Amino acid sequence: MSVWRYFIPTEVHFGRGVLLQKGDSMRTLGKRALVVTGKSSSKNGSLDDLKKVLDGIGVEYEVFDGVRENPSFEILRKAREMYGDFEPDFVVGLGGGSPMDFAKAISVLLKNPGIDLPELYNTEKYSSMYPVVAIPTTSGTGSEATQYSVITDDLGNKRGFGTDFTFPTLSFVDPRYTLTMPADLTVSTGVDALCHAVEGYLSRRSNPLAKVLAMRAIVGIRDALPKVIKSLDDLELREEMMLSSTIAGMVIAQTGTTVNHAFGYPLTTFKGIRHGQATGLFLVENLKIMGEEVPEEVEEVLKPFGGLEGLEGVLKDLGIYDLRVEIEPEDIESWTEGVSKAKHLKVTPGRYDPDTIRRVYERVARRIG
Ligand code: NAP
Ligand code: ZN
């Protein structure tokens, strides 16, 4: 086996009420915070908790609640203009993956006023950001435990950046904040976490520790996700989903995601399908292709489901394929070209020539068309 490392510098606090109990550790980060969030944090109790903690430790803060799903250059530009002179000591990302990713990006931009937005993706162009505190309110992306930030550029391409110094410094992971997620969002985010675990296990960059963690997350999601959508206020199930998604984040922090994620991106940008569902739509087809190169490893991740058909049945019951989207042949051509150039291909087992990629899109398009 080749050499490997496991790295996550984030101090992760986990559990019910954890922000209120442990949030005063933000004191060590300074006296001024920029809080970036969406609209839902004022409805699930998380923003109130955060304000209470920051007031309690005497941290001054501004709240920017303009983050939207799949954060874009446009909103980053706006926030950079608004807070260019604010000079925070730290940035808090409160919400789903979108606000947490946004926090990493705005933190880089405020700390490095000289860089242009596209240079965000080139992590050689800068070497620091303000410390980030991540507080998730969905259980899916794992962004509270990853270095990644996925930002949509001006052409509509979803692209990620991430390096050793873009991990959150602190995370507070409280499953209570996810109780307000409706069933469809619970499914989409939960399937995102499942894809992270499966892809992390199979990535060429995987390692023995990442594999153990990935299997833990896969089994946790298999057990909890089908139940939680019938019992949305079951805190124990919510806690299992939160734990599994944070663990899956720790996995992809080591391995990255595979080309399965790249397949989903254009469906989110151009067809408005949520990230997790868009990614989940391709999982079965991609496992078939990856299985041609690493059959034993694919068999291993499928064991908890009793095989590929079992996984497909679970995804079907969760409603992943229950949508209708018009996909034109021109869409497939341009998305095939995009995926053919995706950097994820390097770490993905299996042979992905343009014909194979096109075929995957055609199959999925038939299924949802
Ligand atoms: P999201 O885009 O952050 O949020 C989706 C929707 O859920 C928004 O409308 C949001 O409302 C709402 N919401 C959030 N928390 C809620 C709650 N507790 N109750 C009810 N509604 C709630 O969704 P996400 O799936 O967590 O994040 C997706 C983004 O993360 C994508 O851009 C994806 O590419 C990225 N991602 C990043 C990583 C990483 O490692 N960094 C990994 C995978 C995906 P408001 O916006 O109004 O608050
Ligand atoms: Zn994802």
Side-chain angles (χ1 to χ4, degrees):
M1 186 190 304
S2 53
V3 294
W4 58 275
R5 84 164 178 164
Y6 179 89
F7 180 70
I8 145 167
T10 308
E11 182 177 323
V12 180
H13 294 269
F14 188 97
R16 304 172 191 184
V18 73
L19 176 58
L20 292 173
Q21 289 174 45
K22 301 287 177 189
D24 59 359
S25 51
M26 283 186 276
R27 187 183 274 129
T28 57
L29 301 179
K31 284 276 163 215
R32 279 161 78 77
L34 174 63
V35 176
V36 300
T37 188
K39 299 291 179 214
S40 60
S41 59
S42 59
K43 298 176 203 137
N44 57 37
S46 58
L47 186 58
D48 285 344
D49 284 357
L50 177 63
K51 286 180 171 174
K52 213 179 282 173
V53 171
L54 293 176
D55 289 337
I57 56 176
V59 168
E60 251 181 76
Y61 56 89
E62 292 267 344
V63 178
F64 174 73
D65 68 358
V67 183
R68 297 288 168 268
E69 287 186 55
N70 308 297
S72 61
F73 275 10
E74 197 187 331
I75 302 186
L76 271 175
R77 265 190 215 105
K78 188 173 156 196
R80 189 183 210 181
E81 243 167 63
M82 286 172 73
Y83 301 103
D85 299 326
F86 183 64
E87 295 189 1
D89 294 318
F90 62 102
V91 178
V92 184
L94 171 65
S98 296
M100 290 189 286
D101 286 7
F102 190 88
K104 295 169 191 169
I106 194 69
S107 172
V108 169
L109 292 173
L110 293 179
K111 187 73 195 267
N112 301 276
I115 70 163
D116 283 339
L117 273 95
E119 291 175 323
L120 266 180
Y121 300 119
N122 182 356
T123 52
E124 317 255 286
K125 290 269 178 186
Y126 48 95
S127 57
S128 64
M129 66 173 195
Y130 290 117
V132 164
V133 176
I135 307 172
T137 64
T138 61
S139 43
T141 68
S143 185
E144 65 276 14
T146 77
Q147 65 277 56
Y148 307 120
S149 168
V150 183
I151 302 292
T152 305
D153 70 15
D154 286 330
L155 300 173
N157 301 308
K158 270 176 93 70
R159 291 168 65 196
F161 71 85
T163 188
D164 280 2
F165 62 80
T166 57
F167 280 89
T169 301
L170 274 171
S171 294
F172 298 98
V173 188
D174 184 340
R176 293 180 312 147
Y177 301 147
T178 64
L179 286 168
T180 49
M181 283 202 293
D184 57 345
L185 182 62
T186 305
V187 165
S188 176
T189 51
V191 167
D192 187 23
L194 176 65
C195 290
H196 295 162
V198 168
E199 294 175 44
Y201 187 101
L202 296 171
S203 164
R204 291 192 205 282
R205 283 173 57 202
S206 202
N207 67 52
L209 181 52
K211 285 186 162 117
V212 169
L213 293 172
M215 288 313 295
R216 168 63 184 81
I218 290 169
V219 170
I221 296 163
R222 176 205 63 184
D223 290 345
L225 187 52
K227 289 189 198 141
V228 76
I229 55 170
K230 298 197 181 90
S231 192
L232 293 174
D233 51 8
D234 186 322
L235 190 50
E236 227 162 90
L237 294 171
R238 291 290 193 187
E239 185 159 6
E240 178 53 50
M241 286 307 300
M242 197 56 136
L243 178 60
S244 294
S245 77
T246 301
I247 292 174
M250 292 169 174
V251 172
I252 56 167
Q254 316 310 314
T255 64
T257 52
T258 68
V259 78
N260 189 57
H261 259 65
F263 271 98
Y265 285 161
L267 272 88
T268 297
T269 304
F270 302 113
K271 303 291 173 184
I273 302 172
R274 282 214 166 104
H275 169 68
Q277 183 165 17
T279 315
L281 279 171
F282 296 95
L283 187 60
V284 166
E285 290 303 327
N286 280 318
L287 284 176
K288 288 183 198 160
I289 298 166
M290 295 184 206
E292 285 166 17
E293 185 177 317
V294 288
E296 281 149 26
E297 300 197 10
V298 169
E299 204 183 311
E300 201 58 36
V301 294
L302 287 172
K303 258 188 205 157
F305 301 96
L308 192 65
E309 276 174 24
L311 171 66
E312 192 165 22
V314 169
L315 293 172
K316 213 165 152 202
D317 292 346
L318 289 169
I320 281 295
Y321 306 110
D322 294 346
L323 74 174
R324 287 285 156 263
V325 189
E326 291 280 320
I327 297 176
E328 306 297 336
E330 307 85 81
D331 295 330
I332 294 187
E333 271 327 296
S334 101
W335 300 348
T336 297
E337 205 185 314
V339 171
S340 306
K341 292 186 208 140
K343 62 182 188 319
H344 304 78
L345 281 174
K346 257 200 219 133
V347 302
T348 310
R351 256 194 69 224
Y352 281 92
D353 51 42
D355 283 343
T356 310
I357 295 168
R358 190 177 300 109
R359 212 171 316 123
V360 171
Y361 271 127
E362 283 166 355
R363 284 204 182 136
V364 169
R366 266 201 299 281
R367 188 157 201 166
I368 60 174

